[in-house]
């Protein structure tokens, strides 16, 4: 049996270094879930030290191991507003005090009724003391409960949520087989899950129309739907049917007759992993750009493409094209990314001095000639500044297979006073996202291995990359944590170095 | 194209009888009497009935028009709607097909007539919307009419599409899972 309890006060106990939650009086130990406003859920055991304060601890038997060791968790929990506590009701107290046995059916019913009565009564007593939200919640809670009780006493059937739920679970679908739902009386019809009536093929056809994230959401509706729909062939059909259904895969990623989508081993696990990673790539993007490979033109050796990389970065260095008379002529740059598969979410370009190009677009693919993703055209802002800021161009998370990035720079505005020719010049190019090369387990890694095998690539390089990540004054950041845990590399072994901003040219 | 243009002209007189009118100009019109499980009878011409693979196969097998045929599992309301749909679409050449790929099925757009058709299902009687859609989908599945199945599944998907989970649960009467189940589902 489940109850919801109203949180009236949340505080932190400095002595015990634990979270202190005041709930409406409840004098029994029970399992519970604390549900925060930000989807934060924690399971534990509720222990009462006094009538109105509850100690929250790890539930592993001892009092305070978890929070003494991990102070940050308590702090983190406190940042989240706690909405309510759902507890699996405390029948222990009643059993002990009132001596009701729960082994018999009558005893069970009486127990449930007693608990309901008891919680209701205490809610009334404590209602005034609770906070605004708590008060509103407790009032609605009470109202519903009182109503349903009154109905039960008057001999009418209950129409609460609970009774509905029980009915729909116990309703045999064979009873309705061959009958139209519309024939049922309205009250009964509302309690019956509609989709149970629909053949599985029809369900699949319905959900085939949903885009990928929505489909994943529908899978979480109920256990039954999850069981029916979460099948490999469903996901495979989605993968093969093209980008409008699975936006992160933008096929056809075909190299030498090998299609990446065909190499996917376990589509369900693989796509789910991809979705999770694309979320991570959006939230904590890592640097994914490797080395500069080729530029359409370089003015001289001192202005080579390698100065666009982070490791050669210097405030006086930059890449510049050869001079041209035509302001509308284009230039391109080709970079190699880390690994053969990378999720790319954004590209940032720092122009030299004032913005010198008009438009930027980029493409991702297997080689400088075989690109499978083409981004839309982005417009560069021409801000006159001594030290230009990087300009970011964001795209939806895209799986770049093959590991090459091509940057197209369209048009130019900067003119060199000495020979009146147009030049394109950049200080830095960065690509952010999540490199998949270092995934060691999981369906995605298997898929990547299968794909690189079929292409004849030697192997996935795992530990040979030099990752350049932002640091916070020498301290590890979230991005470093993510990388090290993905590499299974102890964090304290990693060396951190700060990258300084280039100094003022003046 | 010719057929469609012809149909457009007739549309003012009422769509549901168009298929029958066209066929009734020919001399012998093969008609089929259908009786639903709630004892409503409908007379349709063969061309309209053959939109349904169920009837098509049946007519091929029996080689002739059988006596009044009792349609199991389909209510009078559903059959009325199905006949309305079939008599509009019986002359179409590019009906959605079962062999279509997922992509083409997804990208295909609902036509103007189909849209009003679906909207009328919703407004017809006071029942909850989704019940009628699901009932008609079930009937279309039983009678095997690919075009109608496509239309129904697409409109059901449209009702789900942008909504949050709690709302979808409400629409479809899916029982709210317990906490333990929910934890499993969220993995």
């Amino acid at each position: 049996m489940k109850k919801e309890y109203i949180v009236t006060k949340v505080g932190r106990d400095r002595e015990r270094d634990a979270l202190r939650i005041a709930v409406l009086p409840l004098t029994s130990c029970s399992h519970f879930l604390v549900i925060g406003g930000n989807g934060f859920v924690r399971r534990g055991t509720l222990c009462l030290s006094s009538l109105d304060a509850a100690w929250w601890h790890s539930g592993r038997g001892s009092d305070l191991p978890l929070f003494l060791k991990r102070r940050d968790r308590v702090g983190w929990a406190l940042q989240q507003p706690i909405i309510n506590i759902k507890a699996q009701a405390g029948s222990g107290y009643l059993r002990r005090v009132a001596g009701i046995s729960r082994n018999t059916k009558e005893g069970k019913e009486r127990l449930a009724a007693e608990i309901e009565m008891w919680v209701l009564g205490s809610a009334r007593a404590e209602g005034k003391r609770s906070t605004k939200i708590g008060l509103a919640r407790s009032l609605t809670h009470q109202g519903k409960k009182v109503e349903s009780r009154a109905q039960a006493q008057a001999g009418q059937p209950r129409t609460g949520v609970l009774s509905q739920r029980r009915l729909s679970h116990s309703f045999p679908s064979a009873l309705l087989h061959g009958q139209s739902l519309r024939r049922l009386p309205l009250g009964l019809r509302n309690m019956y899950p509609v989709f149970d009536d629909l053949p599985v093929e029809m369900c699949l056809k319905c959900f085939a129309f949903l885009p990928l994230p929505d489909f994943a959401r529908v899978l979480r509706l109920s256990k039954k739907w999850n069981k029916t729909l979460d099948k490999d062939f469903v996901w495979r059909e989605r993968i093969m049917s093209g980008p409008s259904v699975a936006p992160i895969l933008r096929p056809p990623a075909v190299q030498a007759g090998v299609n990446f989508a065909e190499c996917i081993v376990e589509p369900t696990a693989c796509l789910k992993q991809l979705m999770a990673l694309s979320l991570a790539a959006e939230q904590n993007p890592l640097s994914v750009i490797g080395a500069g490979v080729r530029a359409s033109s370089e003015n001289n050796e001192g202005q080579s493409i390698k100065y666009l990389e982070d490791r050669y970065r210097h405030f006086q260095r930059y890449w510049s094209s050869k001079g041209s008379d035509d302001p509308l002529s284009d230039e391109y740059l080709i970079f190699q990314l880390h690994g053969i598969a990378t999720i790319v979410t954004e590209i940032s370009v720092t122009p030299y001095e004032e913005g010198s190009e008009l438009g930027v677009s980029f493409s991702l693919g297997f080689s400088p000639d075989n690109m499978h993703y083409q981004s839309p055209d982005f417009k560069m802002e021409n801000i006159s500044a001594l030290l230009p800021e990087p300009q970011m161009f964001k795209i939806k998370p895209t799986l770049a297979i093959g590991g090459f990035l091509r940057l197209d720079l369209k048009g130019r505005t900067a003119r060199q006073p000495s020979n009146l020719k147009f030049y394109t010049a950049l200080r830095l190019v960065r690509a952010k996202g999540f490199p998949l090369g270092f995934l060691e387990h999981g369906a995605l890694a298997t898929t990547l291995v299968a794909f690189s095998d079929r292409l004849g690539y030697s192997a996935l390089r795992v530990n040979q990359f030099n990752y350049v990540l932002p640091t916070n004054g020498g301290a590890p950041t979230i991005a470093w944590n993510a990388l090290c845990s993905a590499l299974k590399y102890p964090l304290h072994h990693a060396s951190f170095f700060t990258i300084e901003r280039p100094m003022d040219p003046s | 194209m010719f057929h469609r243009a012809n149909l457009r002209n007739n549309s003012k007189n009422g769509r549901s009888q168009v298929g029958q009118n066209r066929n009734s100009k020919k001399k012998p019109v093969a008609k089929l009497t259908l009786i639903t499980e709630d004892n409503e009878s409908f007379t349709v011409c063969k061309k309209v009935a053959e939109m349904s693979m169920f009837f098509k196969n049946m007519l091929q097998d029996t080689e002739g028009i059988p006596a009044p045929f009792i349609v199991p599992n389909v209510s009078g309301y559903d059959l009325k709607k199905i006949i309305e749909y079939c008599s509009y679409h019986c002359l179409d050449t590019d009906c959605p097909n079962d062999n279509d790929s997922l992509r083409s099925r997804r990208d295909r757009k609902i036509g103007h007539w189909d849209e009003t058709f679906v909207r009328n299902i919703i407004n017809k009687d006071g029942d909850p919307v989704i019940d009628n859609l699901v009932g008609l989908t079930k009937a279309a599945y039983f009678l095997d009419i690919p075009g109608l199945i496509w239309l129904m599944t697409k409109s059901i998907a449209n009702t789900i599409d942008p909504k949050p989970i709690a709302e979808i649960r409400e629409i479809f009467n899916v029982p709210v899972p317990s906490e333990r189940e929910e934890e499993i589902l969220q993995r």
Side-chain angles (χ1 to χ4, degrees):
Chain A
M1 179 171 170
K2 278 139 206 152
K3 288 274 170 216
E4 289 190 15
Y5 296 103
I6 300 106
V7 177
T8 53
K9 219 192 306 175
V10 179
R12 182 176 170 177
D13 193 276
R14 282 177 193 278
E15 274 178 30
R16 296 179 79 172
D17 197 11
L19 193 66
R20 181 179 166 149
I21 308 165
V23 293
L24 295 177
L26 172 77
T27 44
S28 72
C29 286
S30 55
H31 295 286
F32 75 104
L33 290 169
V34 176
I35 294 159
N38 206 4
F40 145 80
V41 177
R42 180 114 192 120
R43 183 183 279 283
T45 312
L46 201 63
C47 273
L48 289 184
S49 60
S50 67
L51 263 185
D52 60 354
W55 295 102
W56 182 27
H57 68 116
S58 68
R60 287 183 190 169
S62 59
D63 259 6
L64 34 127
L66 197 68
F67 296 113
L68 272 183
K69 280 177 190 165
R70 301 187 180 177
R71 280 159 189 266
D72 56 334
R73 280 218 178 170
V74 179
W76 179 64
L78 278 177
Q79 283 165 17
Q80 320 269 342
I82 288 178
I83 290 179
N84 59 3
I85 296 183
K86 285 186 182 177
Q88 279 167 349
S91 55
Y93 168 80
L94 281 168
R95 252 189 304 138
R96 264 179 274 119
V97 176
I100 304 170
S101 156
R102 66 170 174 187
N103 292 332
T104 60
K105 199 183 169 190
E106 291 163 5
K108 265 185 194 170
E109 281 171 4
R110 206 181 138 206
L111 206 60
E114 285 285 333
I115 289 173
E116 194 169 302
M117 238 354 248
W118 190 62
V119 170
L120 263 181
S122 52
R124 262 182 222 128
E126 288 291 313
K128 287 173 191 170
R129 262 193 259 163
S130 58
T131 56
K132 272 182 192 170
I133 302 170
L135 185 66
R137 279 176 177 276
S138 66
L139 283 180
T140 52
H141 204 68
Q142 278 178 40
K144 273 182 194 167
K145 281 281 153 57
V146 170
E147 229 178 67
S148 63
R149 274 192 78 77
Q151 276 182 7
Q153 279 166 4
Q156 288 171 356
R158 277 193 190 191
T159 53
V161 185
L162 260 180
S163 55
Q164 261 193 31
R165 203 186 297 161
R166 254 180 237 140
L167 188 72
S168 60
H169 273 312
S170 60
F171 220 91
S173 68
L175 197 72
L176 286 174
H177 186 68
Q179 274 194 351
S180 172
L181 264 182
R182 210 171 299 109
R183 296 268 210 81
L184 290 169
L186 194 72
L188 208 57
R189 196 191 309 147
N190 281 347
M191 287 168 199
Y192 190 74
V194 171
F195 260 66
D196 284 8
D197 207 36
L198 210 58
V200 179
E201 294 97 318
M202 293 294 102
C203 280
L204 285 178
K205 281 194 173 175
C206 283
F207 297 132
F209 290 114
L210 299 178
L212 194 64
D214 281 340
F215 181 67
R217 227 157 34 106
V218 161
L219 289 183
R220 280 168 37 197
L221 269 182
S222 81
K223 211 172 168 185
K224 185 172 177 181
W225 286 28
N226 197 316
K227 238 181 196 172
T228 332
L229 301 177
D230 204 356
K231 296 275 161 56
D232 270 356
F233 73 90
V234 180
W235 290 92
R236 188 172 292 284
E237 196 188 6
R238 297 194 145 253
I239 292 168
M240 299 310 290
S241 66
S244 59
V245 190
I248 189 173
L249 291 171
R250 291 175 206 261
V254 183
Q255 166 79 346
V258 183
N259 189 346
F260 176 74
E262 283 169 5
C263 293
I264 292 179
V265 185
E266 300 162 39
T268 314
C270 191
L271 270 187
K272 279 182 183 172
Q273 209 177 352
L274 263 181
M275 278 195 291
L277 285 172
S278 66
L279 206 67
E282 269 186 328
Q283 284 166 355
N284 299 318
L286 311 179
S287 174
V288 291
I289 210 153
V293 178
R294 193 199 297 167
S296 53
S297 67
E298 282 170 359
N299 200 19
N300 57 47
E301 220 170 85
Q303 296 171 354
S304 138
I305 187 176
K306 74 176 185 183
Y307 294 114
L308 290 176
E309 295 167 30
D310 254 331
R311 52 186 158 162
Y312 294 112
R313 195 175 173 196
H314 188 265
F315 69 95
Q316 282 176 340
R317 295 289 189 185
Y318 57 92
W319 164 82
S320 171
S321 68
K322 278 187 174 146
S324 158
D325 294 326
D326 183 11
L328 293 177
S329 55
D330 299 346
E331 297 285 341
Y332 67 83
L333 297 165
I334 289 166
F335 295 91
Q336 197 170 12
L337 303 173
H338 291 316
I340 62 158
T342 312
I343 296 175
V344 179
T345 55
E346 74 173 49
I347 305 278
S348 73
V349 175
T350 315
Y352 179 75
E353 290 189 353
E354 297 160 38
S356 45
E357 298 79 36
L358 296 174
V360 171
S361 75
F362 51 93
S363 40
L364 304 162
F366 291 94
S367 68
D369 314 314
N370 181 4
M371 295 288 175
H372 64 83
Y373 170 76
Q374 174 70 44
S375 81
D377 280 2
F378 296 102
K379 201 180 169 192
M380 291 273 282
E381 288 173 25
N382 286 318
I383 304 163
S384 178
L386 207 55
L387 197 67
E389 294 278 315
Q391 299 190 20
M392 317 256 231
F393 307 109
K394 288 204 173 182
I395 54 168
K396 281 185 182 171
T398 304
L399 187 59
I401 299 164
F404 280 94
L405 166 75
R406 178 185 161 127
L407 196 69
D408 283 295
L409 306 158
K410 295 170 182 173
R412 29 192 143 188
T413 53
R415 213 168 210 194
Q416 194 165 307
S418 59
N419 55 5
L420 289 179
K421 281 192 171 177
F422 289 97
Y423 285 87
T424 305
L426 296 181
R427 279 180 187 275
L428 185 68
V429 173
R430 264 185 174 161
K432 284 192 170 179
F434 201 86
L436 302 185
F438 57 68
L439 288 173
E440 287 179 358
H441 304 288
L444 199 53
T446 329
T447 303
L448 287 173
V449 170
F451 181 62
S452 49
D453 270 359
R454 283 184 66 177
L455 276 183
Y457 291 178
S458 56
L460 291 171
R461 290 177 298 158
V462 175
N463 280 329
Q464 297 169 10
F465 304 124
N466 296 318
Y467 291 102
V468 181
L469 296 176
T471 55
N472 181 16
T477 55
I478 302 167
W480 269 109
N481 270 321
L483 180 63
C484 288
S485 64
L487 285 170
K488 298 206 164 51
Y489 190 68
L491 189 66
H492 54 272
H493 286 170
S495 56
F496 305 105
F497 47 93
T498 39
I499 303 157
E500 309 247 329
R501 271 181 74 92
M503 288 168 66
D504 246 18
S506 58
Chain B
M1 281 313 287
F2 172 71
H3 289 317
R4 279 208 80 89
N6 230 348
L7 280 173
R8 287 275 142 72
N9 292 333
N10 285 340
S11 67
K12 289 161 198 165
N13 307 330
R15 240 338 166 199
S16 58
Q17 285 145 23
V18 169
Q20 295 171 18
N21 283 346
R22 281 186 58 78
N23 280 313
S24 64
K25 283 171 194 167
K26 294 169 196 168
K27 282 168 280 173
V29 185
K31 293 234 175 187
L32 193 65
T33 308
L34 307 171
I35 298 172
T36 59
E37 57 176 5
D38 42 0
N39 286 330
E40 285 184 48
S41 66
F42 296 89
T43 315
V44 287
C45 57
K46 205 178 156 192
K47 182 93 181 167
V48 174
E50 275 182 351
M51 280 285 286
S52 148
M53 296 297 131
F54 177 82
F55 287 130
K56 196 176 183 181
N57 293 339
M58 191 190 74
L59 290 173
Q60 274 173 6
D61 292 345
T62 52
E63 291 182 3
I65 306 296
F69 181 75
I70 297 166
V71 191
N73 294 349
V74 179
S75 71
Y77 175 77
D78 290 340
L79 195 61
K80 200 177 128 202
K81 277 287 173 193
I82 287 173
I83 291 172
E84 191 187 332
Y85 177 88
C86 290
S87 48
Y88 182 84
H89 285 284
C90 64
L91 299 174
D92 283 5
T93 45
D94 60 335
C95 273
N97 206 333
D98 265 356
N99 302 328
D100 287 354
S101 69
L102 175 58
R103 191 172 182 179
S104 68
R105 263 189 286 142
R106 200 188 130 89
D107 294 348
R108 198 187 174 100
K109 280 182 181 158
I110 299 181
H112 180 67
W113 189 89
D114 289 348
E115 217 178 306
T116 40
F117 175 77
V118 173
R119 219 179 293 138
N120 284 337
I121 297 172
I122 289 164
N123 291 338
K124 201 68 184 178
D125 44 42
D127 281 358
V129 176
I130 207 71
D131 279 10
N132 286 348
L133 284 181
V134 167
L136 199 49
T137 314
K138 233 179 91 182
Y141 176 67
F142 179 74
L143 295 178
D144 203 357
I145 309 167
L148 190 57
I149 289 174
W150 172 82
L151 179 63
M152 287 295 110
T153 46
K154 178 124 188 168
S155 33
I156 290 178
N158 283 349
T159 56
I160 305 174
D161 195 357
K163 290 183 173 120
I165 281 193
E167 216 169 304
I168 301 176
R169 279 205 187 107
E170 215 166 85
I171 293 173
F172 292 107
N173 286 326
V174 176
V176 182
S178 62
E179 281 94 26
R180 199 175 159 195
E181 275 179 10
E182 206 155 346
E183 265 185 19
I184 296 169
L185 289 175
Q186 287 194 349
R187 264 173 226 156

